[in-house]
Amino acid sequence: MYVAVLTFLGFGVGTVFGYLRDFMRAWGLEKRNVATEREQQKDFVPLYQDFENFYTRNLYMRIRDNWNRPICSVPGPQFDLMERVTDDYNWTFRFTGRTIKNVINMGSYNYLGFAETDVNALKTVTIELQKYGTGVCSTRQEMGTLDKHVEIEKLVAKFLGVEDAMVFGMGFATNSMNIPALVGKGCLILSDELNHTSLVLGARLSGATIRIFKHNNMQSLENLLREAIIYGQPRSRRAWRKIIILVEGIYSMEGSIVRLPEIVSLKKKYKAYLYLDEAHSIGAVGATGRGVVEYFGMSPDDVDVLMGTFTKSFGAAGGYLAGKKDLVDFLRTHSHSAVYATSMCPAVAEQIIRAMKCLMGLDGTTQGLQRVRQLGRNTRYFRRRLHEMGFIIYGNDDSPVVPLLLYMPGKIGAFARRMLEKNIGVVVVGFPATPITESRARFCVSAAHTREMLDTVLNALDELGDFLHLKYSRYSKSSHPELYEETSLELED
């Protein structure tokens, strides 16, 4: 309770001082660094409301140095960082010309370690780059479908065990530009409350009715499904044209894994469709890296739309949608990305093919399987050690996304700065990206991390946890962890 009180108090103090500094800026007692409307336009309706920028201006600026740090190497298990300093309290930065070498990378989504610069590993990518160049300069429906795109789509379908697949040049757009092609007015979207922004944007752009269920809460989802079947659309009470459930495989801020068997059971019971976003789970979980479908021992046919990205486990860019051939054929003609977006770069496609063949063992080695197993070992070891130290961490034991709770806003900046002093790069997240009381550091474990690297990070965390008083957990490791992972079934009125 004292942590919650002090967290709100911290935001309260920051807000009070923010208003005080705004008052001083208005009267010329403090320099006004923020952008303002031009004098000639002061009678215009403002482009933005001043209060919308209040948090950025007075709270975010205090700790802005912990984000957007430019790196100058491959984002592997270690990277090089360009040093920068500020002379005006984070309003502007200048580079010193010095490079901070060999910073342990605990923030990139390089789950399987395929973000690499090994010449032998990238030989085929180099060949394709010399053959095709860097750009396609056309959309898939015009002159932008190459033989590499056909090859990668066949490989993705084979990897996932489905009839067909389609790839896109941008992971975010795979969701935001394709959901509107699948649902529209008269349809109902049931979305997990912690879904990624790309899913939220796609749902909003579709024009469908959106209803939110509590995170991973099956009772909440079933209640919404039952109401949708019984009452139908508002006013007219007609049946919904479609009901589609949007969920993620691994939730990127929580580290939790979707309760897929229960959701599949509900979707079959109420004749709904299921859209599964495996951006963080494909390659990262499952015995052979085939995502949460394999993790739970289920059939790909149980999921109507399989979505994933190549930006994380495959060390590339873009995304895919996969499923029945009828679905993919429909998307080829109705997808906004297929019609308007430039096709995937051939060299990027070759990198994905290289990584996927490695995972499938088609390169004649077991290296892909070894990477998947190493990621699992690193993840369980890192999570177990953090729990033993007394930190509060979220998520499933097999999830390589590991959120560590910081709570208080003042500790966000202190944590990231201290870790960088120890040559460890971390990602810290606070309000409004998280609930106001749940600021956190988010670690991403990689198969490329050695045990020595993880121990270095853990020793630094142990020391910093004592210094900043971050070891909030009062409970030892449970012999029945599933009891603590169970989501509350209480519903809002």
Side-chain angles (χ1 to χ4, degrees), residues 77-88:
Q78 294 178 313
F79 58 71
D80 298 336
L81 188 68
M82 296 172 66
E83 186 182 61
R84 63 180 184 178
V85 294
T86 178
D87 301 314
D88 53 6

